[in-house]
Each structure stands twice: as C-alpha cells, then as structure tokens.
Amino acid sequence: RDVTGVQTCALPISSFRSSMRQRQAERQLQRVARLHRSILDSAGPMMIACDLRGSVTLFNPAAERMLGFRAADVVGQLSAPELFPESEMARVGDQLAASLTGSRTQPDIPADTAPTLLPYVRYVASFPASRVRGFEMRYRRKDSTTFPAMVYLSAVRSSAGTIEGLVTIAVDLSATRRAEHALRESE
C-alpha cells in the first residue's frame, strides 16, 4: 500500500461518516419539529405569534376553535390588531406602557416594529422571560363577537437575542366570568 491509496480510501469513509451524522441530525430535527407541532396542535390555550410588523405567523387549532378563523385564512393574511375589537390593542398597550414607568431602563426596540406593537414589545423586553405577567384583553371572533382572555405574552428572539416577534398564549375567561356572575347572583 502506498500513501496515496490510504488517503483515497480514508476520504470516502470520512465522507460516509459525515453524511451519516448529517442524516442523523436531520432525523433528530424532524423529530423535534413533530414534537413541537404536536404540542401546538394539542394545546388547550390559543397560541398566536406575529412578526414585528404584526403579520400573524402562527395560529394553533385552539385559536381556530376560539376565534372561528381557519389558520390558512389568518397566517400571513391578517395582522394581529385584526384579532381584537377596535381600540383594544391601544387600550391595553396604554396600560402596559403605564405599568413600565419608573426605574426600568428602556430596552432596545427593533426599528421595524409596528407602532401598535411598540408597547407590547417594550413590555416583554423589560422583563426576563420567566417574569412576564399575564394581562386581560378582549379578542374578536370571526363573527365579530368578543370575549375576555388572560394573555401571556413573550418575545420570539433570534439566536443573537434580538426580538423578532411576539407569541401569545391566551385562555378564554368567558366561563370564569359566567361562574363569577352566577355566584354574585346567588348571593
């Protein structure tokens, strides 16, 4: 055997191993993607995400059930403000902005953020992810009826840590409100 023969033989083996590792990594990514899809599809709360311009990028089956829209009619077609009654985003945004006054420093907000989303982005950027509190908001269904929801808001971040969008997890409070009303009536 000469040196050239060994190198020729070693290259295909190395290439084979590299290809095998790549296929294993791709299969692992596919498993993780299926797991994420399963979680989104089976979750009880609404999960809706949007980019910083407000364009909806994720709309899970619970959001379809609660809001009456099909995901295909919302993702990339509607903006987040269209899922709320008129002026609801401004009302809640003002409340969130007021809650941030005080000693907190103003976080860096990406320049392409839609004005209606600014208070929401500032809100999530001002707290560590584990400390973001929920707040109440009204959603608008496709049939224009509204309902109260507890909303938990978080930032979608790039690998560098910059905010690229928002994700909300929301729970319909209608049943809770009805139970509270019934309790008050019975008293």
Side-chain angles (χ1 to χ4, degrees):
R1 291 184 161 171
D2 68 343
V3 175
T4 310
V6 171
Q7 288 177 345
T8 309
C9 184
L11 185 60
I13 290 172
S14 173
S15 177
F16 174 75
R17 285 182 182 155
S18 175
S19 175
M20 230 170 84
R21 280 192 298 272
Q22 183 175 352
R23 282 194 304 272
Q24 287 174 334
E26 288 170 358
R27 281 193 298 272
Q28 180 63 22
L29 282 174
Q30 289 170 352
R31 280 192 294 271
V32 168
R34 283 193 304 271
L35 174 63
H36 288 172
R37 175 54 41 199
S38 177
I39 291 168
L40 286 171
D41 289 349
S42 65
M46 284 192 293
M47 293 183 186
I48 302 171
C50 67
D51 61 23
L52 292 177
R53 292 178 318 282
S55 179
V56 176
T57 58
L58 177 126
F59 198 80
N60 78 335
E64 289 181 320
R65 283 191 309 277
M66 289 185 210
L67 295 175
F69 293 98
R70 290 178 338 118
D73 297 331
V74 175
V75 174
Q77 306 298 316
L78 294 181
S79 66
E82 294 175 274
L83 301 175
F84 300 95
E86 177 109 16
S87 75
E88 180 69 357
M89 284 195 70
R91 181 187 70 78
V92 174
D94 289 346
Q95 289 176 350
L96 295 178
S99 76
L100 294 177
T101 59
S103 62
R104 291 188 184 92
T105 60
Q106 286 295 321
D108 290 332
I109 304 299
D112 60 344
T113 303
T116 55
L117 294 181
L118 277 172
Y120 298 90
V121 174
R122 284 189 182 111
Y123 179 77
V124 297
S126 297
F127 295 98
S130 62
R131 295 276 179 113
V132 173
R133 299 175 300 234
F135 51 90
E136 197 171 314
M137 228 175 151
R138 295 196 70 76
Y139 274 86
R140 182 184 60 82
R141 294 183 184 98
K142 185 176 182 179
D143 67 5
S144 296
T145 60
T146 65
F147 65 96
M150 180 57 72
V151 176
Y152 300 92
L153 185 66
S154 186
V156 176
R157 295 185 183 273
S158 70
S159 57
T162 59
I163 296 177
E164 295 181 331
L166 298 170
V167 62
T168 62
I169 297 175
V171 179
D172 185 347
L173 295 176
S174 299
T176 304
R177 294 294 184 263
R178 282 192 300 272
E180 289 170 353
H181 179 71
L183 180 61
R184 279 192 305 275
E185 291 290 317
S186 70
E187 292 173 351

